[in-house]
């Protein structure tokens, strides 16, 4: 990447901060630091960053709350850090709007790869798409990032929205889980294919009567197809 990427690293353990900082310095990223949730939110409200690495267990305000508050004002990519053995509810994290998470202890290389994947994805997101997409009885407004069914806006998380948008703009094509991980999450490695299944399940629940628009192609993956 040509431009300098600014990371906000929110982590209360000095050793962990140091380790992460070194890994990203090698990659020419600029790392800014916050040591608690309160400081993190202050920085995020007042300065521009490209991505946030957010620890969950933090003094003052925890990572969950920071994530939720941040989502009210920004769609900046968020990757969460969690300790092994810490009760981490993946779904809860995604529901709050986190884009990804990494379990401690992790290799700095893995974290760098994940951050790059998220940034690639965020860049692709800005590629040209129509303002309004009508897929059968589902309407997607890409300006307000809303999914509208029967005139009603259905709340979608970031990734649910992006996955539905991708599938509905590529109708009748079967995608494998790995392809979807690459296209929607930006992963070419480290991704867990079950993440796709979890999101598909939730999207179907939200689509209600139109859940049959998403077809499971057994042994292959998924496709979007408008059905009567
Ligand atoms: Ca911590």
């Amino acid at each position: 990447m040509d431009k300098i990427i600014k990371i906000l690293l929110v982590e209360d353990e000095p050793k962990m901060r140091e380790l992460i900082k070194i890994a990203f310095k090698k990659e020419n990223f600029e790392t800014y630091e916050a040591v608690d949730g309160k400081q993190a939110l202050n920085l995020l409200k007042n300065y521009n960053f490209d991505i946030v690495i957010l620890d969950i267990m933090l003094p003052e305000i925890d990572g969950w709350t920071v994530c939720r508050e941040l989502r009210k004002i920004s769609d900046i990519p968020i990757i969460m850090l969690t300790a092994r053995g810490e009760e981490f509810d993946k779904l809860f994290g995604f529901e709050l709007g986190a884009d990804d998470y990494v379990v401690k202890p992790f290799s700095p290389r893995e974290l760098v790869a994940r951050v790059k994947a998220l940034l690639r994805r965020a860049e692709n997101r800005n590629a040209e798409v129509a303002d309004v997409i009508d897929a059968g009885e589902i309407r997607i407004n890409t300006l307000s990032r809303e999914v509208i069914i029967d005139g009603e806006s259905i709340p979608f998380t970031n990734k649910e929205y992006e996955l539905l948008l991708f599938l509905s703009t590529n109708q009748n094509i079967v995608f494998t889980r790995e392809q979807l991980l690459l296209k929607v999450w930006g992963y070419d490695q480290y991704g867990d294919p079950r993440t796709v299944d979890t999101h598909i399940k939730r999207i179907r629940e939200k689509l209600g009567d139109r859940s049959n628009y998403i077809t499971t192609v057994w042994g292959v993956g998924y496709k979007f197809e408008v059905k009567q």
Side-chain angles (χ1 to χ4, degrees):
M1 283 168 221
D2 316 307
K3 80 166 197 158
I4 296 202
I5 302 291
K6 291 182 181 171
I7 301 175
L8 180 65
L9 170 61
V10 189
E11 167 64 82
D12 55 324
E13 292 161 56
K15 269 188 184 165
M16 188 60 78
R17 283 204 306 273
E18 203 50 38
L19 188 78
I20 294 172
K21 247 172 65 184
I22 290 168
F24 282 100
K25 200 172 176 187
K26 283 184 196 150
E27 302 283 335
N28 252 337
F29 285 51
E30 272 176 16
T31 309
Y32 298 81
E33 297 168 52
V35 298
D36 62 54
K38 204 171 161 188
Q39 192 186 14
L41 280 173
N42 273 332
L43 286 169
L44 285 159
K45 278 173 187 161
N46 292 301
Y47 299 93
N48 280 322
F49 300 97
D50 296 291
I51 190 162
V52 184
I53 299 173
L54 181 60
D55 189 30
I56 293 172
M57 301 298 276
L58 290 169
E60 301 285 344
I61 301 173
D62 68 29
W64 297 126
T65 310
V66 172
C67 184
R68 190 172 53 224
E69 290 303 308
L70 183 53
R71 271 293 166 259
K72 291 180 187 166
I73 54 167
S74 161
D75 65 351
I76 186 172
I78 303 174
I79 184 161
M80 305 205 71
L81 303 180
T82 169
R84 193 187 292 272
E86 215 170 79
E87 269 303 307
F88 181 79
D89 186 337
K90 251 196 269 190
L91 285 180
F92 184 53
F94 292 138
E95 203 62 51
L96 290 182
D99 293 281
D100 198 7
Y101 70 98
V102 173
V103 181
K104 294 177 187 174
F106 50 82
S107 79
R109 258 179 70 190
E110 179 183 351
L111 182 62
V112 169
R114 297 253 194 158
V115 162
K116 284 183 175 174
L118 281 182
L119 289 168
R120 263 201 306 275
R121 179 54 209 144
E123 247 175 50
N124 294 343
R125 192 162 62 193
N126 300 328
E128 234 173 87
V129 276
D131 293 351
V132 173
I133 292 154
D134 282 308
E137 291 172 24
I138 301 169
R139 166 165 286 191
I140 299 173
N141 184 325
T142 61
L143 300 176
S144 57
R145 294 171 71 83
E146 275 177 302
V147 178
I148 299 149
I149 300 176
D150 291 335
E152 209 184 306
S153 173
I154 314 286
F156 271 63
T157 66
N158 238 350
K159 279 291 174 274
E160 286 164 4
Y161 169 83
E162 285 174 14
L163 181 55
L164 179 67
L165 180 64
F166 178 76
L167 287 171
S168 61
T169 48
N170 292 280
Q171 294 184 29
N172 305 314
I173 303 171
V174 184
F175 293 99
T176 65
R177 291 165 177 81
E178 288 72 20
Q179 284 171 324
L180 293 172
L181 278 175
L182 179 64
K183 297 287 185 185
V184 178
W185 280 262
Y187 295 157
D188 45 12
Q189 52 180 339
Y190 299 118
D192 180 352
R194 282 169 300 185
T195 304
V196 176
D197 299 333
T198 310
H199 282 75
I200 292 279
K201 187 168 172 260
R202 295 183 74 86
I203 291 171
R204 278 183 173 144
E205 283 167 10
K206 292 180 180 181
L207 294 182
D209 293 345
R210 287 77 177 183
S211 62
N212 64 344
Y213 283 13
I214 299 176
T215 308
T216 305
V217 181
W218 220 84
V220 189
Y222 298 102
K223 74 169 167 180
F224 187 99
E225 199 178 19
V226 172
K227 290 182 189 132
Q228 297 311 313

